[in-house]
Amino acid sequence: MTTKIVNIVVAGGNYAGLNAMRHLYATLLASPDQANKTVVNITLVDRRDGFVHYIGMTRGITEPSFGSSLWVPYSTVDWLQHSQITIKQGTVADIQPTLVQLTNGEQLQFDYLVVALGISRFAPIGIRSSTKLEFVAELAESYAQLDSAKSVVVVGGGAVGIELAADIKCDFPHKSVTLVHSRALPLPGPFKDELRHNVVDILQNSIGVELVLGQRVIAQEPASADMADTLTDMPEHVSSTATDATLTLSGGQTLHGDWVVRCLGTRDKKSIINLPSSTQEPIFGANGIRVKDTMQIDDVAYPHIYACGDICSRDTVKLAGVAMYGAYIAAINIARTISSVSNDSPTLEESPLYPSKILLLMSKEHFIMQLGDEIWEKEKTRQYVSDDMGLQGSINGLSLNKVPVAYSPFDLAPAF
């Protein structure tokens, strides 16, 4: 009997990409159901050589010793060393219907693809490093600028800006920390004003952050690199910080910051997704790649391509846990398709739509959560809060410290 070879590419690591890898390994490489049927080769493409716990980045900047623990090198993960797993450290330049091209010109042909490239932010929240050594040096650089500053201005009152301002003020209580946001209340998104007012109260009265709300920054001198009128696919390589800067606000007020950090949104990866649509709807919509409940691209031309995590249109609020679950659905559906012994298409799993959720970690002592329409009480929320900002939970959930348990793709995962 001729051996069938199937090539799977997972483009992007972290929460979605690594969880896809975890479940592909457990169902196709470690599962006895796959023995002597098909040779499956899985390639992970990541510009970094390890997992980074992005959720902890704000505190990683204010506490570099904690920050260094956020990076887990792939070389330390035993099951990723499997002979049928290849890790390509590189940057995706182009995705076509049957191949992924890297910036170095290398082309990777695939039978199945999981797109898990996420979204990008400007440095220092966005990570330009490709190795842990570079990452530790990057954190030290940011910390040195922060440590020498007497006054800090954070521009942008989304979740990242809120958490960064809170972490700075709590770790450096004698510094002046100001958060500037263009709207009357912080935290854009599908959340209650009651939650926003609670955030304002915690920042101002419990932590001591000064708030300037309802005003835009219309000028900054000197400007930070991210303010240049240029487009980039790699904003992580562009700094959003400035030292000894003066900001002019739309109301005429000026602010001075010894260290200024702009936390103003994200950049998508639309430019590298070159998949022609078979309908009038573009593959890459306003909120990301359009996907079905099965996490397949929502186009009949691409049943073999899946997208999960922040790059897909599945959820308005991008969350690590939702990214991981979508990756599980993608992986198990690929494994079922490969492992099916009949000519009939197997039944594919579908991911439910989750209610909107936000958990703001405003230092170690202050946190607040909304799930759907409910704002949780502090004691109820505490069960989801840890001093390491979920680092160990993510390591455990992605099996970065243990070998995943083998299971049949036609069964549910033993413990998600």
Side-chain angles (χ1 to χ4, degrees):
M1 182 175 67
T2 303
T3 300
K4 182 180 179 181
I5 298 176
V6 174
N7 294 313
I8 304 171
V9 172
V10 177
N14 259 46
Y15 304 104
L18 282 177
N19 210 42
M21 292 292 296
R22 171 199 173 197
H23 288 282
L24 290 170
Y25 169 87
T27 54
L28 293 174
L29 302 186
S31 173
D33 283 2
Q34 194 53 35
N36 302 319
K37 292 181 181 179
T38 304
V39 174
V40 177
N41 298 314
I42 308 171
T43 300
L44 171 65
V45 181
D46 195 343
R47 67 179 185 85
R48 295 185 291 263
D49 72 356
F51 165 76
V52 182
H53 185 52
Y54 262 109
I55 295 169
M57 270 303 297
T58 58
R59 198 166 302 159
I61 290 171
T62 64
E63 302 176 14
S65 58
F66 167 68
S68 65
S69 68
L70 299 175
W71 191 294
V72 181
Y74 293 143
S75 60
T76 66
V77 181
D78 288 344
W79 58 271
L80 284 176
Q81 317 312 313
H82 190 282
S83 61
Q84 288 164 254
I85 291 178
T86 301
I87 298 177
K88 290 278 186 183
Q89 189 173 354
T91 301
V92 175
D94 187 29
I95 291 178
Q96 299 179 28
T98 60
L99 68 85
V100 172
Q101 181 164 312
L102 309 186
T103 52
N104 65 3
E106 185 175 4
Q107 294 184 344
L108 305 174
Q109 300 284 339
F110 62 79
D111 298 294
Y112 297 92
L113 171 66
V114 179
V115 184
L117 291 169
I119 50 181
S120 296
R121 295 182 181 273
F122 290 99
I125 298 299
I127 301 167
R128 65 176 179 263
S129 307
S130 58
T131 68
K132 183 169 184 175
L133 188 63
E134 293 172 354
F135 178 62
V136 172
E138 187 179 329
L139 290 176
E141 178 185 349
S142 294
Y143 180 82
Q145 293 176 345
L146 170 60
D147 188 44
S148 64
K150 293 182 179 179
S151 59
V152 177
V153 178
V154 178
V155 181
V160 173
I162 290 168
E163 292 187 340
L164 179 60
D167 276 326
I168 293 173
K169 186 63 179 177
C170 287
D171 280 339
F172 298 89
H174 300 299
K175 294 186 188 295
S176 167
V177 180
T178 302
L179 177 64
V180 180
H181 187 60
S182 60
R183 301 183 186 184
L185 290 171
L187 195 64
F191 308 112
K192 288 185 172 182
D193 280 352
E194 179 187 353
L195 180 79
R196 297 185 174 98
H197 284 293
N198 289 342
V199 169
V200 168
D201 180 61
I202 292 170
L203 288 173
Q204 283 186 324
N205 300 320
S206 298
I207 298 177
V209 174
E210 298 177 43
L211 297 181
V212 178
L213 300 174
Q215 294 199 56
R216 293 181 297 105
V217 175
I218 60 174
Q220 178 180 306
E221 180 59 40
S224 50
D226 69 305
M227 298 176 73
D229 189 20
T230 56
L231 296 176
T232 175
D233 292 330
M234 296 292 292
E236 297 92 344
H237 291 274
V238 181
S239 176
S240 66
T241 68
T243 56
D244 194 18
T246 299
L247 289 70
T248 303
L249 306 183
S250 55
Q253 179 184 359
T254 60
L255 289 175
H256 177 269
D258 294 330
W259 197 52
V260 175
V261 188
R262 290 162 50 87
C263 300
L264 296 174
T266 60
R267 298 293 184 273
D268 63 38
K269 304 289 176 59
K270 181 178 181 179
S271 63
I272 66 174
I273 309 297
N274 292 308
L275 300 172
S277 177
S278 62
T279 71
Q280 296 299 312
E281 293 290 326
I283 296 295
F284 206 111
N287 195 38
I289 297 174
R290 293 186 298 107
V291 293
K292 304 176 184 179
D293 292 346
T294 57
M295 306 310 295
Q296 294 164 297
I297 288 182
D298 191 10
D299 191 297
V300 295
Y302 308 112
H304 61 303
I305 302 180
Y306 294 71
C308 49
D310 291 355
I311 199 170
C312 82
S313 63
R314 189 74 178 154
D315 298 277
T316 302
V317 181
K318 309 295 186 180
L319 299 170
V322 175
M324 290 172 65
Y325 195 82
Y328 156 69
I329 294 295
I332 200 172
N333 284 340
I334 290 172
R336 284 184 182 181
T337 305
I338 292 172
S339 303
S340 181
V341 295
S342 69
N343 293 324
D344 297 329
S345 297
T347 300
L348 300 183
E349 288 293 319
E350 296 184 352
S351 178
L353 285 174
Y354 291 93
S356 60
K357 172 187 172 183
I358 187 90
L359 171 60
L360 285 175
L361 303 173
M362 295 176 281
S363 78
K364 297 174 183 176
E365 299 301 323
H366 304 283
F367 42 84
I368 193 167
M369 178 172 166
Q370 180 177 328
L371 177 61
D373 291 328
E374 181 185 0
I375 299 173
W376 285 24
E377 296 292 334
K378 186 171 184 177
E379 289 308 310
K380 184 178 179 181
T381 304
R382 192 180 297 275
Q383 63 184 305
Y384 295 103
V385 176
S386 60
D387 284 348
D388 68 356
M389 301 183 79
L391 172 61
Q392 192 59 50
S394 294
I395 289 173
N396 294 341
L398 293 168
S399 293
L400 301 181
N401 55 356
K402 59 183 182 296
V403 177
V405 176
Y407 69 97
S408 166
F410 299 98
D411 298 328
L412 295 180
F416 182 74

